[in-house]
């Protein structure tokens, strides 16, 4: 029967299905009655067929919730304990037992869906717990999940997955619902956690679920076999249908056995085809659409039809599914009934007498009862609403206190029926039991009773009097309006106006809340207002007074208020309207929106004073607005701004200055927000610029818009000057008179108007840029505009820097535009900045902010003049650090090549000096190391400039600071930078012309290059000393080489002076080194270079330089000896007089000098020194020199110096051959004895082992020595040698003869005849002959030594 009714339901199928489901689930114990479950099973089957499962699931969900609420919670009270101890009782959250669901599989499918949704939170949390890092059993995870949800712990059989498995095992494979049950099972079995892992395999590891694993696998195998058999047998369904079912069920079995499906890194496409990957993906993606293609719909329909025929023996048509599948048979339409009969009826109300329409008192008397009735009805409605709200509010309070939980304690004594028990158990339980507050419950019931009574009273209200009054009043208005055609319009208008204002008395808050009265009054006001109030001059002020007295009626009356028809009263009504300000701004907004300001301003009767009075009225209204931050967003403020804008646009620019003065005054009182400037002032000028502070300002866009707006000449230059004077005067007065502004700047009190001021100043500057022909005047105009904000003392606080930067950016834009027209603007900008910010008391952050913004100007076009360079120098000498940084930025960008070419005038030399001072400052101060690129830029720009015009005195004055402390260059170089490539060094090379090819250098060129060596050398020594002292010798050698090649000149004197200057500076380096180790490195490097460059033209000048600059006598001797040796290393160098000419030995420390020469056996130096002093020595001095010479010659020469000592011997013989002096024979005898001692061989043990043995003498030296002694000994006074009995003559002769007889002297046989000839002439020889013999022997034995040519040739 039920199925038949559902089949016949047609469009009402959903309602019928819900009806039957609710009836069946409302039955007592319906979830335990087999008959009820059977009927519900058939209804669910039909619902699936008809596509109305949503209706069934909704009803079952409601029934499930009611069932759970009606059951006590597990673990609460005695009932739960008994339920726990008693077997076979279903828990509170299981609607139907699994065994009963197996008999009703369609109903089981729906019920389990409901339970799955209900327990979805528990199951999702269980997934997260079991897939977490901590390993738990399934039961432990279930307990943990229940604890997190603060609920009782369910058992495993209570879970929907377990119940689905039980139903699948119990249900027949022939059931059409079997594939859908499998779908639900696997949807839970393979559900993913947040870690993309499922726990189906862990489910069957639990003790209770493990018993179901084999049965469910067997069931799937049986199903696959059944579908295979059905597919082979004849059937209405196709073979493909059963094959799909067979493959699907086999895939289910594979899913059960495949553990990797549960893993997070499982790759679905890798599965074989037998696993049905596409179907598995729908399960893994939690698709909830049922697999209806696996259900045999034909069989389902056949079973339903069979049941319908069983109950009713007539033809049943198959229903159609959704979208036309379900429809009832077409029935015949009933014959329509005719219209009802009519009869005459009396009018429900008495109309107003037409004779009283034109008498105001009569019509008011006639209609007042109707208005009173309508008003009372509205009040009654409001009272009912208030009563209803009061009852409902009290009801909510009672509900919150109605039910409570009372804690109870129970002791239970369960018995044991087994013999092993030792006795009864005692269990103490504590739980919270549901309890109802009786007093609250009684109040609750009384509240609901009163509520029902109120509803009943409301339903019994008689609305006929209200409707009658409404219709009667509207009819009277219609008669009044229609009478205008027959009666005097003025009289009718008078009556209409009286009725209009009288009706307004009855309008109140109650009438506005009642829908019927609200609609009635609105309709009547519209009709009366349109006909008798609107556009009536006499009604404007009365209507305004009515609006002011009854603001609630303004929304209805505003449409009929037309103030513009009486321009002479426009201002008065505007001011009267403002009395609502602060009391009811919404009503005021509606009133002011009716005032057409444009029309008022264009009235001929409105003069200038009226317009100024109107402006004052607007200013007063704005000043009375709320000062909260959001008031500028109110519609009232927007109306005021619109009216101000209308005044500005009226005959523009007639009132521009007046409005500007008014806005400035309002802004100074902070009652006019920045946004108002844009809407009421700048928009009138055609400028669409943002006037509120923002984090990043797009000034370029705003400035472009301002230039476009001012291009049409709306503001003339004269007007701009007037406005500028007004602005400067206004802000200047604030700066001087306001204590806060005076101490902390204008930004401290007007910071929110920064963008407004910026846009205003940009606008005026744009006018000047457009019309002012002179750049200087435009620049002065612009700077004067910004002066009071940026240039005065204490311009702004550091906290105001973000907003001040907006004004600075605006100034920069104007200056950039001006510099684009004339590059000379940059010079004016620099001079202004220098005079305003370069010296204290300007705060550092002010200078930084302005300089950073000015840096963005195109300084690549800046051509500085002498005054600009002088200010640069002044900044480097006494400016603040911030301004120095700014100047450093400029030096990196100035086109110095063009600047040099542009400034070639009488002040060119000071200009060059200032350039050198500036560049030198930034190239030596460590704080400005980043500006080394600027020096490189300068070098690149001036590489072709001829620096010879910069003379040495000027250059020295320019770099005097650096020359006093060149070591700063070493610290200025970067960490990975070589000093040779340091930018300041390259700059010094450039200006000193150190590497410039110059065939005709002047004395100034000599000094400039020496200055470079002085500065660079000391800086390099400090650099290598601090970083890599091992490279210091190579630096010295390379510098000497550079000095050697730095001079090419045809003038020997200039060339010599140049070399001398450079050499002197090289030797000067040691005088500035305190570290002995570094001093030795420098000295050794110089000595090595001297020894390796014998032909260098530097050598002679280095001799003079050494004598003049080397402070250490020991170092001087080493240098001189090496220089002289290197000089004579060249074959063509034979002249000693050049060396003697440049030699300058110290006079005050002459003894120490000679002593050092003797200690170092510097015989070359002694020889040159002797030649220099002998020239001017008198006889007494010659005696002293003879004695000194003999003492010098007593020193036994080392092997490397044996040949050099002959030079001193020559001087001894030379003096000895001169006029007789009494002391000379003694000196000569001492000399000969000393020579004899050199060649005397000592024997003994110590000599044999080398102890006490003198330096070895060469054979040529021995030959010369013994020969000279043998020849010269007879010329000496008699005496004996020390330790020998024989005389000096005999001993020397014996030694000579012994030497001749030895075999090692055979190679020198050519010498013996010469010496023998002198020996044979004994008695006739003089000291001149001995000197001649010395020259002959030296010529035979040492003719390759150039320095001995002085002796040999003389």
């Amino acid at each position: 029967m039920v199925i038949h009714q559902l089949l016949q339901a047609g469009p009402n199928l959903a309602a019928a299905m819900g009806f039957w489901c609710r009836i069946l689930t409302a039955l007592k114990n319906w979830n335990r009655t087999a008959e009820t479950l059977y009927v519900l099973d058939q209804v669910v089957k039909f619902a699936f067929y008809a596509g109305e499962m949503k209706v069934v699931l909704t009803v079952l969900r409601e029934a499930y919730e009611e069932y759970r609420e009606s059951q006590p919670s597990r673990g609460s009270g005695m009932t739960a304990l008994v339920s726990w101890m008693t077997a076979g009782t279903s828990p509170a959250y299981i609607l139907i037992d699994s065994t009963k669901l197996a008999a009703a599989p369609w109903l089981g499918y729906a019920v389990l869906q409901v339970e799955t949704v209900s327990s979805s939170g528990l199951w999702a949390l269980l997934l997260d717990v079991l897939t977490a890092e901590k390993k738990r059993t399934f039961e432990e995870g279930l307990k943990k999940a229940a604890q997190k949800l603060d609920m009782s712990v369910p058992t495993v059989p209570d879970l929907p997955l377990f119940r689905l498995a039980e139903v699948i095992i119990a249900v027949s494979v022939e059931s059409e619902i079997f594939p859908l049950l499998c779908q639900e099972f696997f949807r839970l079995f393979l559900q993913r956690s947040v870690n993309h892992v499922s726990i189906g395999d862990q489910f069957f590891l639990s003790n209770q679920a493990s018993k179901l694993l084999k049965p469910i696998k067997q069931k799937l195998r049986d199903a696959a076999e059944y579908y295979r058999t059905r597919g082979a047998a004849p059937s209405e369904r196709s073979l493909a249908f059963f094959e799909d079912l067979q493959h699907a069920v086999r895939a289910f079995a594979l899913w059960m056995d495949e553990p990797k499906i549960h893993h997070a890194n499982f790759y679905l496409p890798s599965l074989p085809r037998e696993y049905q990957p596409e179907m598995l993906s729908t399960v893994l993606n939690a698709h909830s659409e049922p697999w209806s293609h696996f259900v045999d719909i034909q069989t389902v329909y056949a079973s339903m039809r069979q049941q319908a025929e069983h109950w009713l023996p007539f033809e049943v048509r198959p229903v159609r599914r959704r979208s036309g599948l379900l429809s009832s048979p077409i029935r015949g339409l009933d014959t329509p009934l005719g219209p009802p009969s009519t009869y005459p009826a009396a009018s429900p109300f008495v109309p107003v007498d037409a004779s009283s329409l034109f008498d105001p008192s009569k019509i008011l008397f006639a209609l007042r009862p109707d208005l009173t009735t309508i008003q009372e009805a509205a009040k009654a409605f409001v009272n009912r609403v208030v009563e209803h709200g009061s009852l409902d509010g009290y009801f909510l309070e009672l509900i919150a206190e109605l039910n409570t939980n009372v804690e109870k304690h129970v002791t239970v004594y369960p018995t044991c029926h087994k013999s092993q028990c030792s006795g009864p158990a005692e269990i103490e339980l504590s739980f919270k039991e549901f309890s109802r507050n009786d007093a609250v419950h009684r109040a609750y019931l009384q509240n609901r009773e009163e509520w029902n009574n109120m509803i009943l009273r409301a339903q019994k209200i008689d609305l006929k009097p209200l409707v009658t009054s409404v219709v009667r009043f509207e009819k009277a208005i219609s008669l009044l309006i229609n009478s205008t055609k027959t009666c005097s319009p003025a009289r009718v208008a008078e009556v209409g106006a009286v009725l209009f204002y009288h009706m307004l008395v009855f309008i109140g808050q109650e009438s506005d809340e009642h829908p019927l009265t609200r609609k009635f009054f609105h309709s009547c006001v519209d009709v009366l207002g349109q006909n008798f109030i609107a556009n009536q001059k006499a009604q404007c002020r009365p209507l305004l007074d009515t609006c002011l007295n009854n603001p609630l009626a303004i929304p209805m009356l505003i449409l009929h208020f037309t103030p513009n028809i009486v321009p002479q009263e426009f201002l008065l009504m505007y001011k009267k309207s403002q009395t609502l300000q602060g009391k009811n701004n919404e009503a005021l907004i509606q009133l002011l929106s009716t005032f057409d300001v444009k029309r008022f301003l264009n009235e001929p009767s409105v003069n200038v004073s009226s317009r100024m009075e109107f402006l004052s009225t607007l200013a007063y209204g704005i000043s009375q607005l709320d000062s909260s931050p959001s008031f500028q967003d109110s519609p009232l403020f927007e109306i005021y701004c619109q009216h101000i804008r209308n005044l500005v646009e009226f005959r523009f620019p007639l009132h521009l200055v007046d409005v500007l003065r008014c806005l400035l005054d309002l802004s100074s009182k902070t009652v006019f927000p920045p946004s108002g400037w844009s809407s009421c002032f700048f928009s009138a000028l055609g400028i669409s610029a943002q006037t509120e502070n923002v984090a990043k300002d797009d000034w370029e866009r705003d400035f472009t818009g301002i230039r476009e707006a001012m291009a049409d000449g709306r503001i003339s230059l004269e007007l701009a000057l007037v406005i500028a004077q007004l602005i400067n005067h206004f802000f200047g007065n604030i700066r001087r008179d306001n204590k806060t502004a005076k101490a902390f700047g204008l930004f401290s009190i007007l910071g929110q108007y920064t963008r407004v001021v910026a846009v205003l100043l940009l606008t005026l500057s744009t006018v000047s840029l457009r019309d002012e022909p002179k750049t200087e005047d435009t620049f002065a105009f612009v700077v004067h505009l910004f002066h009071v904000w940026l240039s005065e003392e204490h311009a702004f606080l550091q906290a105001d820097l973000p907003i001040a930067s907006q004004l600075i950016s605006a100034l920069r834009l104007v200056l950039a535009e001006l510099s684009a027209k004339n590059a000379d603007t940059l010079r004016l900008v620099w001079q202004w900045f220098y005079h305003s910010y370069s010296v204290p008391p300007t705060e550092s952050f002010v200078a930084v902010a302005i300089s950073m913004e000015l840096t963005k100007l195109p300084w690549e076009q800046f051509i500085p003049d002498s005054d600009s360079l002088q200010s640069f120098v002044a900044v480097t000498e006494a400016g603040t650090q911030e301004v120095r940084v700014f100047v450093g930025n400029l030096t990196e960008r100035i086109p110095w090549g063009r600047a040099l070419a542009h400034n070639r005038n009488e002040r060119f030399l000071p200009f060059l000096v200032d350039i050198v001072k500036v560049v030198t400052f930034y190239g030596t101060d460590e704080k400005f190391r980043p500006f080394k690129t600027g020096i490189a830029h300068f070098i690149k720009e001036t590489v072709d400039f001829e620096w010879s015009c910069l003379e040495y005195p000027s250059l020295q004055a320019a770099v005097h600071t650096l020359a006093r402390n060149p070591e700063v260059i070493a610290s200025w170089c970067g960490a990975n930078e070589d000093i040779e490539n340091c930018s300041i060094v390259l700059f010094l090379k450039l200006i000193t012309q150190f590497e410039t090819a110059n065939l005709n250098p002047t004395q100034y060129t000599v000094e400039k290059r020496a200055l470079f060596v002085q500065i660079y050398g000391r800086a390099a020594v400090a650099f290598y000393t601090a970083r890599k002292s091992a490279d210091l010798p190579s630096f010295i050698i390379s510098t000497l080489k550079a000095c050697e090649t730095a001079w090419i000149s045809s003038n020997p004197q200039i060339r010599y002076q140049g070399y001398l200057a450079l050499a002197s500076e090289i030797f000067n380096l040691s005088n500035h080194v305190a570290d002995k180790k570094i001093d030795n490195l420098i000295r050794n490097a110089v000595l090595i270079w001297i020894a390796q460059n014998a032909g260098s033209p530097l050598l002679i000048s280095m001799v003079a330089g050494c004598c003049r600059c080397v402070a250490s006598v020991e170092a001087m001797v080493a240098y001189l000896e090496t220089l002289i040796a290197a000089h004579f290393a060249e074959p063509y160098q034979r002249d000693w007089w050049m060396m003697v000419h440049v030699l300058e030995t110290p006079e005050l420390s002459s003894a120490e000098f000679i002593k050092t020469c003797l200690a170092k056996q510097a015989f070359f130096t002694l020889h040159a020194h002797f030649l220099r002093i002998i020239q001017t020595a008198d006889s007494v001095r010659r005696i002293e020199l003879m004695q000194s010479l003999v003492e010098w010659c007593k020193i036994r020469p080392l092997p490397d110096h044996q040949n050099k000592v002959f030079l001193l011997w020559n001087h001894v013989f030379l003096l000895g051959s001169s006029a007789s002096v009494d002391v000379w024979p003694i000196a000569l005898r001492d000399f000969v004895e000393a020579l004899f001692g050199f060649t005397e061989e000592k024997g003994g043990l110590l000599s044999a082992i080398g102890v006490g043995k003198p330096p070895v003498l060469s054979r040529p030296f021995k030959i010369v020595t013994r020969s000279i002694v043998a020849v010269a000994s007879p010329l000496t006074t008699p005496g004996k040698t020390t330790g020998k009995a024989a005389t000096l003559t005999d001993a020397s002769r014996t030694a000579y003869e012994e030497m001749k007889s030895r075999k090692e002297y055979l190679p020198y046989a050519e010498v013996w005849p010469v010496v023998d000839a002198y020996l044979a002439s004994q008695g006739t020889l003089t000291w001149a002959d001995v000197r001649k013999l010395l020259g002959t022997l030296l010529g035979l034995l040492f003719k390759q030594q150039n320095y001995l040519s002085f002796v040999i040739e003389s």
Side-chain angles (χ1 to χ4, degrees), residues 579-590:
T579 58
L580 289 175
Q581 187 163 331
K583 303 174 184 178
N584 194 334
N585 285 350
E586 294 182 1
L588 178 59
I589 291 169
Q590 296 178 12

Side-chain angles (χ1 to χ4, degrees), residues 854-862 888-896 934 937:
L854 293 182
T855 305
K856 301 177 184 178
L857 294 176
W859 293 102
E860 294 80 3
Q861 305 173 13
F862 178 38
N889 283 316
L890 300 190
T891 58
E892 290 185 321
R893 301 167 60 184
I894 292 175
W896 291 108
H937 165 74

Side-chain angles (χ1 to χ4, degrees), residues 941-961:
E941 287 281 329
T942 60
V943 66
D944 297 328
F945 180 73
E946 181 58 52
W947 286 94
S948 58
C949 57
L950 181 61
E951 299 178 349
Y952 173 74
S954 302
L955 177 61
Q956 187 182 34
V959 299
H960 69 280
T961 303

Side-chain angles (χ1 to χ4, degrees), residues 918-929:
V918 172
V919 178
T920 303
F921 173 79
Y922 287 103
T924 54
D925 195 319
E926 290 186 49
K927 295 189 290 288
F928 302 101
R929 186 179 291 116

